[in-house]
Amino acid sequence: MSIKLIIIGGVAGGATAAARARRLDENAEIILFERGEFVSFANCGLPYYIGNIIKNRDDLLVTTALDLKDRYKIDVRIFTEVVSIDRGKKQVSVKDLNSGKSYTENYDKLILSPGAEPAKPKIDGIDNENIFRLRDIPDTDRIKALLDVKKPESAVIIGAGFIGLEMAENLVERGIKTTVIEMLDQFVPQVDYEMASIVQIFLKQKGVICKVQCPAKSFEKRGGRTVVVTSTGEEIECDMVLMSIGVTPENKLAKECGLDTGSRGGIIVDGSMKTSDPDIYAVGDAVEVKNFITGRPEMVPLAGPANKQGRIAADNALGRSSVFKGTQGTAILKVFKLVAASTGLNEKSLQKNDIAYQASYTHSLSHAGYYPDAELMSVKILFNPNNGRLLGAQIVGFDGVDKRIDVLATAVRSGLSVFDLEELELAYTPPFSSAKDPVNVAGFVASNIIRADVKSVTWNELKTLKGKVSFIDMRDDIELEMSGTMKGAVNIPLNDLRSSLDELDKTKTYVAFCAAGLRSYIGCRILMQKGFRVLNLSGGFTTYQYVKHIVEN
């Protein structure tokens, strides 16, 4: 007897589940309900269509209802909304949004893929016609029509996450004066403050007006324009507003039929993607899944995990045994030429979960320095201070960031340590890397710390050392002339260090730094062996400059 599988919702999770289910069982009856017109589209490509980078709207369609019907023999019903689930009868109530007709369908197994919707805070004036959200193709069409027809001159983006910053890039590229306001103290909350600071500095250089700790308080309509009133009392007048402050899970069906949900509203599932009902599975942005490192539930609205979950849910619904082992939240962002990427846990998450960690910073070139167009790449890794196990990584730079974050993501997933990073044999030729790849270098630096070859201090630990340490700048004179130095630092270039030891006091503790940390590491090794107490500033003056305003205040 063939199984009857109903899937509610398409896009990454639902469409993947439908295709996988058909490949597993040619005789299964598979019905996919989608309340909109588009079964599977490229959410992540929407900003680039608005920005005219993607020229053809149809290129956003990953697959269509007709494609699924012709290739997979799946009964796809678009403009059809499932309004309720009767778990006792194993039946869904359905409404055809075109005809208004309602009917029921029975199921043997059910997969929920409702996704998440843009968060909509209770702010006065939020329903103003010039305020937009970006979730799907109809949203995209409305925004693009405004840009193409009315040609707005200015825009305000509320929220500095991935979508908000991708939209900032594309609006600026279309000649629109763009302001991004964020309620937190940093952009890109997926990475830590100092790494996000690189992104913010770069955006300012590209003409984006950046405001942090600046939540929107209300929206006012003045003529044909919108005024964003912030909590600081500032008024920003613009032609359009994009809300991009995160998403909330669409859990209405799940809650109404009694499925278990978590504190943040996500549908609770086990490793097989099964809900609290043994015949109902759930996938994608609406579910809580296990964090691969902490083992604790969290919500990660990313396309990659949603695809994997759809495949796993289909496996289990049709009798196979597959397990989703957890997510590590690997993500990457491009803003203009700059790339920011992360995997695993950041410092905020590690602290929240009471996990002991050590951080280290390195600044490496994207490929061999003697080959043209090498660009700086800032790498931060977080690791267990005892065994060196890699807990997370963040990279901000240009070419090659994607390659390195994928290597580090694989290392996190495989439980590798910083000592393993030292030994990884990675592809090298001058146009693509160096003989010591940036991943290897990150491993070298972290391993040196664990082995106690050097004692390290990070930028955010400097405040606790105020008045207790002295600083040695080991850069050359010309570097100081170009970028300055820390207040009170004595300049002893590395090559002059051995001849200058008499100028130093063995009763003091020194913090040594250079541009990126290599020369000061060598200097620390010299000083340690000569009986001096010394710490190496991880990431050197380069990292320090990104957060100088915090350290010095």
Side-chain angles (χ1 to χ4, degrees):
M1 182 177 176
S2 62
I3 189 173
K4 183 174 181 180
L5 173 65
I6 285 180
I7 301 170
I8 301 174
V11 197
T16 296
R20 175 65 172 172
R22 173 57 72 220
R23 291 194 297 272
L24 294 177
D25 189 342
E26 181 64 21
N27 298 314
E29 181 181 358
I30 304 171
I31 304 174
L32 191 156
F33 292 110
E34 170 56 53
R35 68 185 173 199
E37 178 182 357
F38 304 100
V39 177
S40 184
F41 59 91
N43 303 66
C44 300
L46 302 181
Y48 302 102
Y49 174 64
I50 292 170
N52 289 330
I53 303 300
I54 297 171
K55 305 293 185 184
N56 187 352
R57 180 176 178 271
D58 288 346
D59 290 343
L60 297 172
L61 305 181
V62 177
T63 191
T64 66
L66 184 60
D67 291 337
L68 287 174
K69 178 182 177 182
D70 289 347
R71 177 165 294 183
Y72 293 104
K73 201 181 69 171
I74 293 170
D75 182 358
V76 180
R77 304 180 192 180
I78 59 174
F79 296 118
T80 306
E81 182 176 9
V82 175
V83 295
S84 66
I85 301 169
D86 188 326
R87 292 166 53 197
K89 294 181 179 178
K90 297 183 71 172
Q91 188 178 82
V92 295
S93 296
V94 184
K95 182 177 182 180
D96 185 316
L97 299 179
N98 285 329
S99 68
K101 176 186 174 184
S102 296
Y103 58 95
T104 61
E105 285 283 356
N106 295 325
Y107 65 85
D108 295 312
K109 300 290 182 180
L110 178 68
I111 298 176
L112 286 168
S113 180
E117 59 185 345
K120 186 179 179 181
K122 295 179 180 179
I123 300 176
D124 289 344
I126 197 166
D127 293 320
N128 184 315
E129 62 184 8
N130 288 336
I131 298 176
F132 299 86
R133 295 161 192 81
L134 183 59
R135 179 194 185 190
D136 53 27
I137 288 182
D139 289 339
T140 305
D141 290 340
R142 285 189 286 271
I143 296 171
K144 195 165 191 304
L146 176 75
L147 269 57
D148 291 345
V149 177
K150 295 189 177 180
K151 302 188 183 304
E153 296 180 355
S154 60
V156 172
I157 296 172
I158 315 292
F162 280 25
I163 294 296
L165 297 187
E166 288 168 352
M167 278 299 298
E169 172 192 354
N170 283 281
L171 292 177
V172 168
E173 294 288 16
R174 292 197 60 164
I176 298 170
K177 178 184 177 182
T178 302
T179 301
V180 179
I181 68 173
E182 169 59 52
M183 67 179 295
L184 301 177
D185 64 350
Q186 66 169 81
F187 282 17
V188 201
Q190 291 86 348
V191 302
D192 290 317
Y193 181 90
E194 68 283 5
M195 304 299 282
S197 296
I198 307 173
V199 179
Q200 192 172 327
I201 291 167
F202 185 81
L203 284 167
K204 288 179 179 178
Q205 293 171 349
K206 289 294 183 178
V208 177
I209 301 168
C210 303
K211 298 179 181 291
V212 295
Q213 295 181 308
C214 186
K217 183 179 179 182
S218 64
F219 303 101
E220 298 176 7
K221 191 173 181 180
R222 294 183 189 171
R225 308 193 82 201
T226 297
V227 176
V228 181
V229 182
T230 73
S231 61
T232 63
E234 183 180 5
E235 297 185 353
I236 308 170
E237 190 169 326
C238 62
D239 298 312
M240 65 172 288
V241 174
L242 177 72
M243 298 296 298
S244 183
I245 57 172
V247 296
T248 57
E250 288 218 21
N251 59 14
K252 183 173 181 289
L253 279 175
K255 293 186 76 172
E256 287 181 350
C257 76
L259 297 179
D260 292 344
T261 56
S263 59
R264 295 179 58 195
I267 304 168
I268 295 175
V269 295
D270 63 14
S272 69
M273 306 313 299
K274 189 180 296 179
T275 68
S276 52
D277 185 312
D279 294 315
I280 300 179
Y281 299 80
V283 302
D285 296 354
V287 304
E288 286 190 356
V289 292
K290 181 178 72 174
N291 181 282
F292 182 77
I293 300 169
T294 67
R296 296 179 180 178
E298 64 179 42
M299 298 178 64
V300 181
L302 294 171
N307 274 283
K308 295 177 182 70
Q309 293 160 17
R311 181 183 177 92
I312 289 167
D315 279 359
N316 290 292
L318 275 83
R320 287 200 177 187
S321 180
S322 295
V323 177
F324 184 72
K325 296 179 181 178
T327 181
Q328 62 199 67
T330 304
I332 191 164
L333 165 73
K334 183 189 84 71
V335 281
F336 302 95
K337 281 186 63 181
L338 190 71
V339 181
S342 65
T343 189
L345 301 180
N346 57 29
E347 287 201 56
K348 295 183 287 289
S349 298
L350 288 162
Q351 292 164 7
K352 179 181 177 181
N353 287 281
D354 295 319
I355 298 174
Y357 71 92
Q358 175 84 43
S360 68
Y361 303 89
T362 51
H363 303 282
S364 302
L365 292 176
S366 54
H367 57 251
Y370 55 81
Y371 189 88
D373 301 323
E375 296 175 297
L376 196 66
M377 176 185 302
S378 298
V379 181
K380 177 180 183 178
I381 61 173
L382 299 153
F383 51 92
N384 183 299
N386 297 313
N387 60 22
R389 181 192 172 192
L390 192 63
L391 301 171
Q394 301 161 34
I395 309 178
V396 180
F398 299 91
D399 287 344
V401 169
D402 54 340
K403 167 184 172 179
R404 275 61 181 225
I405 202 66
D406 283 343
V407 172
L408 292 167
T410 303
V412 170
R413 176 66 55 156
S414 302
L416 300 186
S417 72
V418 296
F419 306 112
D420 295 312
L421 299 186
E422 291 184 292
E423 298 178 7
L424 289 180
E425 187 173 328
L426 303 173
Y428 159 61
T429 193
F432 296 106
S433 185
S434 300
K436 296 177 182 177
D437 188 87
V439 171
N440 298 131
V441 173
F444 295 148
V445 169
S447 298
N448 286 340
I449 294 170
I450 295 178
R451 294 186 182 111
D453 288 341
V454 67
K455 292 183 179 179
S456 179
V457 62
T458 59
W459 69 270
N460 50 355
E461 294 170 327
L462 288 180
K463 272 196 169 184
T464 65
L465 298 176
K466 268 191 174 180
K468 302 175 184 177
V469 297
S470 299
F471 293 92
I472 306 175
D473 188 337
M474 296 189 174
R475 296 175 298 157
D476 295 330
D477 293 343
I478 190 170
E479 295 174 86
L480 274 68
E481 292 174 12
M482 293 175 62
S483 61
T485 188
M486 290 188 196
K487 185 177 180 180
V490 59
N491 176 223
I492 305 178
L494 175 61
N495 291 352
D496 298 335
L497 181 61
R498 289 183 179 87
S499 61
S500 304
L501 295 178
D502 290 344
E503 300 174 20
L504 301 176
D505 184 349
K506 287 187 177 180
T507 67
K508 292 183 177 181
T509 298
Y510 292 95
V511 172
F513 65 93
C514 61
L518 175 58
R519 282 172 290 174
S520 54
Y521 163 67
I522 297 170
C524 284
R525 291 298 301 159
I526 294 170
L527 293 172
M528 288 170 67
Q529 293 176 74
K530 294 294 184 179
F532 290 90
R533 295 193 302 271
V534 61
L535 304 169
N536 189 32
L537 179 60
S538 188
F541 197 71
T542 300
T543 296
Y544 173 82
Q545 281 186 303
Y546 299 140
V547 292
K548 178 180 178 181
H549 59 289
I550 286 184
V551 176
E552 293 187 347
N553 292 327

